[in-house]
Amino acid sequence: MALSFSRFAAKLIAGTVVIASMATAAHADATLDRIKGRGKLTVGVILSGAPFGFIDPKTQEQKGLNIDVAKALAAGLGVELVTETVTPPNRVQFLQQGKVDILIANMQYTEERAKTLDYVPTPYDRQGGGAIGRKDSGIKDWSDLKGKIACVSQGSNYTQPLIEQYGAQVKALPSQPESLLALKGGNCDVSVHVNGTLSLMLQDRADEWKDYGILIPTDLIPSDSVIWLRKGEADTQAALDKIVKELHASGKMIEFAKANRLPSIGYMEEQQKKLSAAQ
């Protein structure tokens, strides 16, 4: 009888340990609870240039569409925003190591990225790549890049199509500014980055870039700009998706885009109509 009771007690204790372990594991994924518990949302951002993320030379404040979206997410969660500057080579590492809670860091959706990271389902923007180069280069189409050197940022989603579809020789550099510097130094024929950034740079720094232009009229693989987070954080994902949808439906996302002089807001206008009608 005593032996049976001991066995019963052992099974009961073992079952309790398993349940407790499962609960602990589930809680360990509760990034949203952690964010609210400390009252801070830490966002990894890239400050490579307007209109998405940059340092205002007059105030030294961080500005741009990505910064405004980050502020809105923190406000929607009722917490303080903390930004952490990341670069293309280290942004995923910062997220995986828990140095940041989420990334709003010029990382557009790709199937490859989605294998290791989760993302907020509703994109906040959609952008394609542009090719900036010398106006006298003779390059007029993506097919003209065959055998040419195209500079990109490390980890760019433009690398694969440039190589596989258009036969370009890709040179990956740590950041967009370094890629553009390589272009001006004659180390690449074009520099390929998000079209919105390049267009605004040519506009704002017209004298410096007077001999350069966006050479190809079509965008390279227009892709969704999404917010990235670690795998298994469904609570955080759902909370952020709700806020992003509200920003679109209310027209606030369009306000952010216009305030930051985003050259193209067609996608946001589509989202505003669709999501406001659904409410």
Side-chain angles (χ1 to χ4, degrees):
M1 184 73 175
L3 184 60
S4 296
F5 178 79
S6 297
R7 287 177 178 172
F8 172 77
K11 289 181 178 179
L12 182 62
I13 292 169
T16 303
V17 170
V18 170
I19 292 170
S21 297
M22 291 173 64
T24 302
H27 184 71
D29 290 333
T31 299
L32 186 59
D33 289 343
R34 188 168 66 251
I35 291 168
K36 292 189 173 182
R38 68 177 181 238
K40 294 180 180 179
L41 172 69
T42 304
V43 182
V45 297
I46 284 182
L47 303 174
S48 58
F52 301 104
F54 62 100
I55 299 290
D56 188 316
K58 295 180 180 177
T59 65
Q60 295 303 303
E61 293 180 1
Q62 295 180 357
K63 291 190 176 181
L65 173 67
N66 295 351
I67 303 299
D68 286 341
V69 172
K71 289 178 180 177
L73 294 179
L77 294 176
V79 297
E80 176 189 345
L81 172 65
V82 176
T83 59
E84 182 76 35
T85 303
V86 297
T87 63
N90 71 19
R91 55 192 173 187
V92 173
Q93 182 181 11
F94 269 47
L95 180 61
Q96 296 284 37
Q97 292 179 348
K99 293 180 179 179
V100 298
D101 298 312
I102 60 173
L103 288 175
I104 309 179
N106 299 0
M107 271 182 71
Q108 294 171 308
Y109 174 83
T110 67
E111 291 183 0
E112 192 64 28
R113 287 170 176 166
K115 290 177 182 178
T116 55
L117 300 175
D118 267 341
Y119 58 96
V120 174
T122 305
Y124 62 93
D125 189 24
R126 181 175 292 153
Q127 292 284 331
I132 182 174
R134 290 190 61 88
K135 294 176 181 177
D136 59 4
S137 68
I139 296 170
K140 298 179 180 180
D141 190 81
W142 293 106
S143 59
D144 294 333
L145 293 181
K146 186 174 183 179
K148 299 286 198 305
I149 299 174
C151 285
V152 300
S153 299
Q154 288 179 11
S156 172
N157 57 310
Y158 303 132
T159 299
Q160 187 173 346
L162 283 169
I163 295 172
E164 295 182 0
Q165 290 180 241
Y166 300 109
Q169 298 179 39
V170 171
K171 181 180 292 187
L173 295 163
S175 68
Q176 179 177 301
E178 288 171 276
S179 169
L180 292 170
L181 190 62
L183 173 67
K184 291 187 76 173
N187 295 313
C188 45
D189 298 294
V190 295
S191 187
V192 181
H193 301 280
V194 172
N195 207 336
T197 300
L198 299 179
S199 298
L200 206 56
M201 182 191 73
L202 290 174
Q203 177 183 322
D204 289 348
R205 296 157 62 183
D207 289 342
E208 179 185 350
W209 290 93
K210 64 181 185 300
D211 296 327
Y212 296 81
I214 304 294
L215 304 178
I216 302 168
T218 56
D219 284 0
L220 182 65
I221 56 165
S223 305
D224 292 337
S225 299
V226 297
I227 299 158
W228 293 93
L229 58 160
R230 292 175 289 273
K231 284 284 187 183
E233 298 181 341
D235 51 353
T236 310
Q237 185 183 51
L240 296 179
D241 193 55
K242 181 181 178 183
I243 298 170
V244 173
K245 285 180 176 176
E246 289 172 351
L247 291 172
H248 278 304
S250 66
K252 196 69 179 177
M253 199 71 82
I254 293 176
E255 289 181 26
F256 292 160
K258 289 181 177 179
N260 289 291
R261 300 182 298 144
L262 203 68
S264 174
I265 61 171
Y267 169 77
M268 293 181 183
E269 290 174 334
E270 291 174 7
Q271 288 293 91
Q272 197 273 332
K273 290 178 183 178
K274 182 176 75 173
L275 293 172
S276 61
Q279 287 186 340

